[in-house]
Amino acid sequence: MTSLSIQTILYENSPQDILRSVCALAHAAQLAKDARSVNDWEIAVGDSSPEPVFAEGLLAQLREIVEAAGGSFRYQFFGANLGHGGGHNVVASQGKSDVLVFVNPDGVVAPDALARLMAALGPGVGAVDARQLPIEHPKEFNSRTGETAWASGACLATAREVFDSVGGFDDDTFFMYCDDVDYSWRVKLAGFAVLHQPSARLFHDKRLSSGATYLPGDAEVYYSAEAALLLAHKYSRQDVVDRIISAFQASASPVEVKVLAEFERRRAEHRLPAQIDPGHDVGQFTSGNYAPHRY
Amino acid sequence: MTSLLIDLLDSVAQSPHADPALLTAADDLRAALTPDVTHGPFLTVIVRTQGRRIETLKDALLCLAAQSCQDFDVIVADHDSDEVGAVAVRAAVDEQAVDFRSRISIAEVSGGGRAHPLNVALSRATGQYIAIYDDDDLLFGHWVETFRSAAETAGNRLIRAQVGLQNVQPEAWPDAEAGFLTLSSIRAEYPEEYDQLRHIRVNSSPFMGWAFPRVLFEKLGFRFDEELEVCEDWDVILRGASLLGVTNATELTSIYRRWENGRSSYDVHDLEEWQRSESRVIEKLDAMPLVLDRGAATQIRQVLVFEDAANAHAHLLAGWTWRLATPIRIGVGVVKRARPFVGRVLRRFHLR
């Protein structure tokens, strides 16, 4: 039997969203336990917000919901914004469960999502991600084996042993975005498979304009651009780094100019990550993506 | 905003020369079209399934469980499922969290066509509005919230939200034979707003983009036409919109999944069935007076002017004078095409 820690990192999320997410997680964990996929489980919440997101009343309510479902609850206010991977690293370091599941706080898992993730997390499998709704990620996966280029941190299960052996998320390099891609690729370099489990579902509450376009926020634009450069550098793809730098230099976008300046500052201060995967065994840079896409 | 019928009567009654009794009639009609809302949620969602696509049904239920506004209940209309399918539908419902599960009922329906399970579920619906959502479609998190917000000023009109479109195909998954694969990104191919006249030509508003006011069924006696093999949604949309009107909520709140490889309603039902159903829908519309919304006169005029121009052009092309003038037009065309060349020659030899 396996113990499970379900982790989520907050940054000024609405209490209503958190309540919705935690209720769904507690229910899914209870069903996974009923199905004997797990025994002990906890929901561990890290808070990177400037002020604690929870009032005392809500914190007590969440604890009550989780305990009523048979789990335990822990909450930690960081007092600083540790980013996505940094927050998960801290929360993971304080637990002892066999398996870690990282879930975005604006997500709602399906009742059988955790059981389905656990079923896929067999021997030799380092990480498994869930399918996201209603906007599905277009990365390719092998529909028979589930093998895929990387697993999304929006809902990702991994064995603690694997997590610890590769050093968790690289929060020195990645603040937001691509820390999951990097984690997946290091898991692969360590010899484990990375799978997509389409029958495990996460409702990720993203919305589109009436013209069906996704409008990212400022932080998403900045940190995903920064992460693209850092990831290409880390995975020894100087050609991709050069291409991105040229594109950013030609761009009039103040965000890209700022990203470029930050990258050069890191380079000057020798703070760029050490380069790995020199043979390009796991890193995939395809048309600006980190996996071949179906569409 | 008020429903189209009341709007029509109001606009007549408010004329200074109209019989004041018409105002009373408008009030009476308004009262008759006021729903009896003493209990029940804002929305009843009818999820239509046949128990053959459990993985998409689970997607559909998760989309509902994750709605930002939970003021709704759900009737899963399980139509003609076989024994295995019915068990799977019940299991998918039973695994939902207690609060959500308590708001879901299952109506197991046998026989009839696509409209039959809808009518059975309608008879049990208690929401102020009713929405219909097939088991293979998807919702964004603000689907109910958008309908509810629009309903505050809709005055019993039908509410229409924007729907995206995405292609999928059946595909086995590592742990489920009846999985599927998404093949395309989400596209906004349907018009942002309802166009009453254009919808008579073709339905471009998928079912789950609509919330139908309860009065349509409770007071005006609408039912889904069980004689129709397909187009049961189009029929109610056209007739309902003509009586009550439409409020547009332009948010994109749902995704219609179009199946490739022989799984869509376009494949399951043959061309004859579609043509038969389309004819019946239009015949029913012809059999009733049609109320058009404000602005329709200008639109009809534009269409007719365009049609007149097209007819005149066709008439010209078919006429003997057009045919007789063919050599002249060819000559003019040759001269036009030759003019730049001749100009270049003249300039080269300084002849002008």
Side-chain angles (χ1 to χ4, degrees):
Chain A
M1 290 291 271
T2 307
S3 59
L4 183 66
S5 181
I6 306 155
Q7 300 190 176
T8 192
I9 304 300
L10 310 179
Y11 186 80
E12 296 193 316
N13 302 84
S14 82
Q16 190 191 357
D17 285 353
I18 299 164
L19 187 63
R20 183 175 62 163
S21 177
V22 168
C23 285
L25 285 169
H27 179 62
Q30 189 176 19
L31 290 190
K33 189 172 180 179
D34 291 348
R36 299 183 179 278
S37 301
V38 299
N39 51 4
D40 293 335
W41 60 272
E42 67 163 358
I43 293 180
V45 179
D47 191 348
S48 274
S49 312
E51 300 293 329
V53 162
F54 296 122
E56 274 305 314
L58 180 60
L59 201 56
Q61 188 186 354
L62 289 175
R63 190 180 304 280
E64 201 173 306
I65 288 165
V66 172
E67 288 176 356
S72 56
F73 182 81
R74 72 185 155 96
Y75 167 77
Q76 182 179 0
F77 175 65
F78 298 136
N81 187 356
L82 305 184
H84 176 263
H88 278 305
N89 284 345
V90 169
V91 174
S93 70
Q94 291 162 2
K96 290 190 171 117
S97 62
D98 303 316
V99 172
L100 304 168
V101 176
F102 310 117
V103 182
N104 274 18
D106 59 346
V108 177
V109 294
D112 60 351
L114 296 176
R116 300 272 188 145
L117 287 173
M118 295 301 292
L121 198 64
V125 177
V128 185
D129 73 350
R131 182 167 52 91
Q132 294 177 44
L133 309 176
I135 305 174
E136 186 174 331
H137 200 287
K139 68 187 167 73
E140 276 186 0
F141 66 98
N142 182 314
S143 59
R144 280 288 167 197
T145 64
E147 280 183 279
T148 190
W150 60 277
S152 166
C155 185
L156 184 155
T158 189
R160 179 182 293 276
E161 202 175 3
V162 174
F163 188 77
D164 289 343
S165 72
V166 303
F169 288 110
D170 177 3
D171 57 331
D172 287 334
T173 305
F174 303 103
F175 184 71
M176 288 166 71
Y177 302 104
C178 290
D179 50 1
D180 47 4
V181 179
D182 169 63
Y183 178 72
S184 303
W185 289 353
R186 283 184 290 118
V187 163
K188 284 190 169 186
L189 283 173
F192 295 96
V194 171
L195 306 184
H196 177 60
Q197 177 74 314
S199 63
R201 297 164 174 83
L202 172 80
F203 186 92
H204 196 180
D205 199 349
K206 291 189 170 187
R207 298 173 189 185
L208 299 179
S209 70
S210 59
T213 51
Y214 177 64
L215 304 172
D218 291 345
E220 185 169 350
V221 171
Y222 177 83
Y223 286 111
S224 58
E226 182 187 69
L229 258 179
L230 294 169
L231 193 72
H233 171 83
K234 182 169 179 176
Y235 284 83
S236 308
R237 288 295 300 266
Q238 191 57 43
D239 58 326
V240 178
V241 171
D242 292 343
R243 202 161 56 232
I244 296 173
I245 287 177
S246 295
F248 285 6
Q249 282 171 336
S251 164
S253 156
V255 171
E256 290 173 351
V257 169
K258 190 176 163 194
V259 166
L260 209 49
E262 175 58 23
F263 184 76
E264 293 305 339
R265 188 177 303 121
R266 280 189 187 227
R267 195 202 301 267
E269 295 169 359
H270 305 289
R271 290 194 296 114
L272 289 177
Q275 291 188 301
I276 58 175
D277 192 27
H280 311 316
D281 296 321
V282 298
Q284 294 191 44
F285 296 85
T286 311
S287 310
N289 304 311
Y290 311 117
H293 283 189
R294 280 167 280 152
Y295 47 87
Chain B
M1 197 172 280
T2 183
S3 67
L4 210 49
L5 270 182
I6 292 173
D7 194 15
L8 177 70
L9 200 53
D10 274 346
S11 65
V12 175
Q14 281 164 7
S15 159
H17 310 296
D19 185 340
L22 281 177
L23 279 175
T24 313
D27 286 341
D28 289 347
L29 180 61
R30 192 174 283 109
L33 289 181
T34 301
D36 298 328
V37 185
T38 51
H39 67 290
F42 160 68
L43 186 71
T44 290
V45 182
I46 298 172
V47 178
R48 185 167 54 176
T49 184
Q50 293 188 302
R52 295 175 195 158
R53 299 188 285 216
I54 295 304
E55 298 301 334
T56 62
L57 174 65
K58 288 186 168 195
D59 282 6
L61 292 172
L62 177 59
C63 289
L64 287 168
Q67 288 297 303
S68 57
C69 172
Q70 288 286 317
D71 190 4
F72 64 91
D73 61 9
V74 180
I75 301 171
V76 176
D78 184 6
H79 184 213
D80 281 343
S81 277
D82 60 20
E83 202 173 316
V84 173
V87 168
V89 169
R90 284 197 291 271
V93 169
D94 285 341
E95 73 177 8
Q96 301 300 319
V98 174
D99 172 61
F100 183 41
R101 175 67 188 87
S102 69
R103 290 182 280 125
I104 310 175
S105 59
I106 300 175
E108 290 183 349
V109 183
S110 300
R114 291 158 57 94
H116 183 53
L118 301 182
N119 287 333
V120 172
L122 263 184
S123 67
R124 303 179 187 183
T126 57
Q128 295 167 46
Y129 279 79
I130 290 149
I132 292 148
Y133 171 38
D134 282 335
D135 67 359
D136 56 343
D137 295 325
L138 294 172
L139 307 176
F140 286 88
H142 58 329
W143 182 68
V144 177
E145 180 190 324
T146 300
F147 283 147
R148 185 170 175 158
S149 171
E152 287 172 9
T153 54
N156 276 329
R157 288 178 170 233
L158 280 66
I159 302 171
R160 179 189 184 271
Q162 174 80 330
V163 178
L165 179 67
Q166 190 166 39
N167 299 64
V168 293
Q169 71 176 26
E171 180 98 16
W173 286 344
D175 61 346
E177 279 302 311
F180 55 89
L181 191 67
T182 303
L183 300 173
S184 76
S185 53
I186 301 159
R187 311 182 299 282
E189 290 189 1
Y190 299 110
E192 216 168 283
E193 297 196 346
Y194 182 71
D195 183 322
Q196 198 175 1
L197 290 178
R198 287 190 184 281
H199 270 72
I200 293 173
R201 185 168 167 269
V202 64
N203 184 18
S204 46
S205 301
F207 225 163
M208 70 288 190
W210 291 94
F212 300 97
R214 188 180 173 76
V215 292
L216 187 66
F217 307 102
E218 188 181 86
K219 302 287 185 178
L220 296 174
F222 271 53
R223 293 293 180 272
F224 291 97
D225 185 346
E226 299 197 15
E227 298 295 314
L228 290 170
E229 290 145 305
V230 286
C231 302
E232 71 283 359
D233 50 347
W234 190 35
D235 170 57
V236 166
I237 291 165
L238 286 176
R239 291 186 298 120
S242 173
L243 293 176
L244 296 180
V246 174
T247 287
N248 291 293
T250 53
E251 295 272 316
L252 194 154
T253 61
S254 59
I255 302 167
Y256 174 73
R257 277 174 169 161
R258 180 175 288 166
W259 289 87
E260 296 186 0
N261 295 359
R263 292 280 297 270
S264 77
S265 56
Y266 293 96
D267 301 307
V268 172
H269 299 274
D270 64 29
L271 184 63
E272 270 186 28
E273 287 176 318
W274 279 97
Q275 287 171 338
R276 217 166 28 237
S277 294
E278 284 177 9
S279 298
R280 182 173 166 84
V281 168
I282 298 304
E283 279 166 22
K284 287 172 73 178
L285 211 58
D286 274 340
M288 63 183 270
L290 203 58
V291 184
L292 300 175
D293 211 341
R294 291 167 191 270
T298 300
Q299 196 186 352
I300 291 171
R301 194 161 185 267
Q302 283 169 349
V303 169
L304 293 177
V305 166
F306 185 78
E307 187 188 275
D308 285 350
N311 284 342
H313 188 217
H315 185 70
L316 175 68
L317 292 178
W320 63 272
T321 49
W322 179 261
R323 289 198 298 274
L324 274 182
T326 300
I328 298 170
R329 289 198 307 279
I330 291 171
V332 169
V334 167
V335 169
K336 276 185 179 170
R337 281 192 294 277
R339 192 179 290 156
F341 172 73
V342 172
R344 280 199 301 276
V345 170
L346 291 175
R347 281 194 297 278
R348 183 168 182 179
F349 293 98
H350 306 288
L351 295 176
R352 66 175 193 183

